[in-house]
Structure formats: structure tokens, C-alpha cells
Amino acid sequence: MLKRFFDPATIYARRVQSCLDEARMAALEHENAAEHHMALAKMYRHRVARLEAELAPEDRQASLVAQPAAPMPHIAALKKHKETGQRQPAYLAQGAAG
């Protein structure tokens, strides 16, 4: 009975499971933060384009279009290897409403 609680393999397995859960939670938090920062970056790009349009002479205002300076990076959710008998955590897909 006590061996089940004090067995080094069991203790190690519990610790590994705990670390795995923490890593999944950190990945989810960082994915949420990345979505937030991408939304802020998009907003600021539009703001820059709008402010540049206000500062531009009248003849250039018609041809000014908001274009990002660099392509936007793609944010992908981390995937867990499929194991038998365990559910996959629900990650928010890129572009989906939160």
C-alpha cells in the first residue's frame, strides 16, 4: 500500500505529469497573449496609416493605402501527441473568436 505512494517511479510520474500540465497552461497563456499582441499591432498599423494620411498633402491622400511593412507572422497552437485514453486540450484556432 505505502509503496504506491513512495515508489520513486510513481513520484517521478506525478512530477512529470505536473510539469506537463504547467507547460500546457503556459502555452495556452502565451497563445492568448500572442493573439492580443497581434490585434494591437494591427490596430497600430492602421493608426499609423491614418495619421500618415492626415499629414500627407492633398494629392497624395487618395493614393495612400494602409500596407503592413512586413508580412504578419502566423501563430499556431501547440499540439500534444495523441495518446490513447486522453482527451486533447481545446486550443483556440487561429482567427477564431475568443
Side-chain angles (χ1 to χ4, degrees), residues 29-67:
E29 289 172 357
H30 284 279
E31 288 169 4
N32 289 338
E35 287 180 8
H36 175 74
H37 286 282
M38 288 303 295
L40 284 175
K42 184 177 179 181
M43 180 208 51
Y44 282 118
R45 280 193 296 273
H46 288 284
R47 183 177 183 197
V48 165
R50 181 179 48 83
L51 292 173
E52 285 176 345
E54 288 180 13
L55 291 176
E58 292 293 325
D59 58 324
R60 287 185 50 207
Q61 281 186 348
S63 64
L64 187 61
V65 178
Q67 293 290 332

Side-chain angles (χ1 to χ4, degrees), residues 79-91:
K79 302 283 185 199
K80 177 186 165 219
H81 293 291
K82 292 191 177 194
E83 298 173 6
T84 58
Q86 290 191 0
R87 284 184 55 213
Q88 290 281 34
Y91 291 117

Side-chain angles (χ1 to χ4, degrees), residues 20-33:
L20 180 62
D21 293 340
E22 289 175 13
R24 283 185 184 146
M25 184 58 67
L28 183 61
E29 289 172 357
H30 284 279
E31 288 169 4
N32 289 338

